[in-house]
Amino acid sequence: MARACTATINLESIKDNLLYAKSLAPSSKAIAIIKADAYGHGALRVAKYLDNVADAFGVACIEEALELRESGIEETPILLLEGIFEISELSLVEKYNLMTVVCNLTQLEWLVKAKLTKQITVFVKYDSGMCRLGFHEAEFNQAIKLLENSANVNKIVLMTHFSKADEPYDIFTQKQIDSFNKIVASTGHQSSIANSAGIVAWRNSHKNYNRPGIMLYGSSPFSEARYQKNLIPSMTLSSELISIKHFEKGQGVGYGSRFICPQDMLIGVVAAGYADGYPRHAKDGTPVYINNTRSRIVGRVSMDMLTVDLTNTPNPQIGNKVELFGNNIAINEVAEYCNTISYEIMSKITRRVYKKYISN
């Protein structure tokens, strides 16, 4: 491997973060969310490492579920978080022993009218305020009754999804919890509501099943630092300096000369760009870490390279490692400079980035 852009993924950290999530809700089962290739970390590697720790895995679609089953994840339950997209997928749900979400009348009709040879577990989604997937109250009650009377269903779990739980002082989340509790109280079915933010900050949202996602990968859903302290970053994106040059005051750096040198400067080029998944819209000042020192991006990120200020970096040399985020530069800090969230940065790491896995 010549090009040095590498995502180093610490599987033990992911496991520790899952155990931490479970410790916060010891009476709940944890559905480890590994959709979107485990937020860019590699779903197969992550699932195999967590196979004896997670109570279930959550994926977005049937393709992600089948990839896990065919790779050897045979016993751990897998939940299709968006349900099925066409009726033919029901046979695969049955064959591969999957659990599925039902979140609209079409999915409900497909399931109720199907002739399955064995029963499946169904999560029924209530729209408590996310205003995305899920049933409103009247349809939700109707869906529960139809599924209770269906020979295709052996277990019903009621679920909803938070829209603002990452804002710990916003009362809307409590309204969602109250609305959900009210509607499910008399049903006798198990339930699921807490995502990562709910697990950490909304303890009264802990139900039979929790759904830790971003916290598994060591990133807090909250901007406040106190919520990050017990999470361990699981991915370090790094590369190397491939050029070091002196520039004079007034010279522009990179496409469009967005950054104009305010003084004579030493500028380095790093072998990483938006084709590796690093955000093109990173602002000047976005932090990086070189030779045990914080530095900053200057100039616009290009496809394969980005430029950094080496003025205060001790003894910079071509080949020096540059951490773009990880243990020394928090991904949430990078996300703030890029006007995005850590979820997007992780999940957009491209396949040309070499993945290096660390485990015990």
Side-chain angles (χ1 to χ4, degrees):
M1 182 191 73
R3 192 169 185 268
C5 191
T6 301
T8 302
I9 296 165
N10 192 320
L11 295 170
E12 190 67 17
S13 294
I14 299 175
K15 180 180 177 180
D16 287 342
N17 291 329
L18 175 57
L19 291 172
Y20 173 60
K22 296 184 75 168
S23 75
L24 294 176
S27 298
S28 304
K29 292 184 177 180
I31 303 174
I33 305 303
I34 57 171
K35 63 181 179 177
D37 201 30
Y39 294 38
H41 290 69
L44 299 184
R45 297 293 295 266
V46 171
K48 288 180 179 179
Y49 206 78
L50 299 183
D51 201 19
N52 295 318
V53 182
D55 298 295
F57 293 118
V59 299
C61 56
I62 197 82
E63 291 85 357
E64 292 180 343
L66 298 190
E67 184 179 37
L68 296 180
R69 284 286 186 251
E70 291 168 356
S71 72
I73 306 298
E74 298 176 351
E75 301 297 330
T76 303
I78 299 174
L79 174 65
L80 303 177
L81 292 164
E82 296 177 29
I84 59 173
F85 293 89
E86 57 184 47
I87 193 169
S88 63
E89 292 179 357
L90 270 176
S91 62
L92 297 173
V93 171
E94 182 182 25
K95 177 180 177 180
Y96 289 96
N97 192 29
L98 307 177
M99 306 183 295
T100 187
V101 169
V102 170
C103 56
N104 60 53
L105 292 174
T106 299
Q107 291 176 338
L108 178 64
E109 182 179 5
W110 287 342
L111 179 56
V112 170
K113 291 185 176 181
K115 298 185 183 300
L116 303 181
T117 59
K118 61 181 180 182
Q119 296 180 318
I120 63 174
T121 296
V122 176
F123 282 60
V124 191
K125 193 162 197 175
Y126 171 56
D127 185 357
S128 62
M130 181 68 176
C131 296
R132 197 174 60 180
L133 299 179
F135 297 99
H136 292 306
E137 184 170 350
E139 290 179 342
F140 188 61
N141 289 325
Q142 178 188 17
I144 293 170
K145 291 177 181 178
L146 287 172
L147 292 168
E148 287 174 338
N149 293 320
S150 172
N152 293 327
V153 178
N154 69 345
K155 182 178 180 179
I156 296 171
V157 180
L158 310 181
M159 70 181 297
T160 194
H161 192 63
F162 287 136
S163 64
K164 301 176 76 172
D166 57 347
E167 301 176 31
Y169 306 110
D170 195 306
I171 63 171
F172 187 74
T173 298
Q174 187 58 52
K175 290 181 178 179
Q176 283 192 270
I177 295 170
D178 293 342
S179 173
F180 183 69
N181 286 343
K182 180 180 177 181
I183 201 169
V184 305
S186 61
T187 67
H189 294 298
Q190 293 186 345
S191 60
S192 174
I193 181 170
N195 56 4
S196 291
I199 292 169
V200 173
W202 300 90
R203 302 300 176 90
N204 59 342
S205 72
H206 298 176
K207 302 298 181 181
N208 302 96
Y209 294 89
N210 292 336
R211 308 189 302 271
I214 192 65
M215 69 184 302
L216 297 182
Y217 309 104
S219 176
S220 171
F222 302 98
S223 59
E224 295 182 44
R226 65 190 178 100
Y227 291 111
Q228 179 68 45
K229 63 180 180 179
N230 293 312
L231 297 173
I232 307 168
S234 60
M235 179 189 289
T236 297
L237 182 66
S238 63
S239 190
E240 292 181 354
L241 289 173
I242 60 172
S243 174
I244 299 173
K245 294 165 67 176
H246 288 276
F247 290 88
E248 296 180 354
K249 179 180 179 180
Q251 285 190 276
V253 177
Y255 282 118
S257 296
R258 184 183 72 181
F259 180 81
I260 304 297
C261 295
Q263 59 194 26
D264 291 353
M265 295 181 67
L266 190 63
I267 300 293
V269 179
V270 182
Y274 61 78
D276 301 295
Y278 194 86
R280 179 180 180 272
H281 44 284
K283 299 175 184 176
D284 291 334
T286 302
V288 298
Y289 194 76
I290 311 169
N291 291 354
N292 298 314
T293 304
R294 284 172 65 97
S295 185
R296 60 180 181 137
I297 288 176
V298 291
R300 185 168 286 124
V301 174
S302 55
M303 182 177 286
D304 310 303
M305 293 171 279
L306 55 86
T307 43
V308 295
D309 177 9
L310 297 178
T311 304
N312 297 314
T313 300
N315 191 32
Q317 302 289 328
I318 290 177
N320 285 164
K321 180 179 178 180
V322 180
E323 179 186 307
L324 301 172
F325 60 79
N327 291 320
N328 298 293
I329 301 294
I331 190 171
N332 280 10
E333 184 179 5
V334 173
E336 287 182 14
Y337 275 91
C338 298
N339 294 323
T340 187
I341 54 177
S342 61
Y343 307 67
E344 182 180 26
I345 296 175
M346 289 178 182
S347 63
K348 282 190 172 181
I349 298 299
T350 64
R351 66 178 184 176
R352 84 170 182 182
V353 176
Y354 176 71
K355 285 188 172 66
K356 176 183 176 182
Y357 287 92
I358 298 173
S359 61
N360 281 355

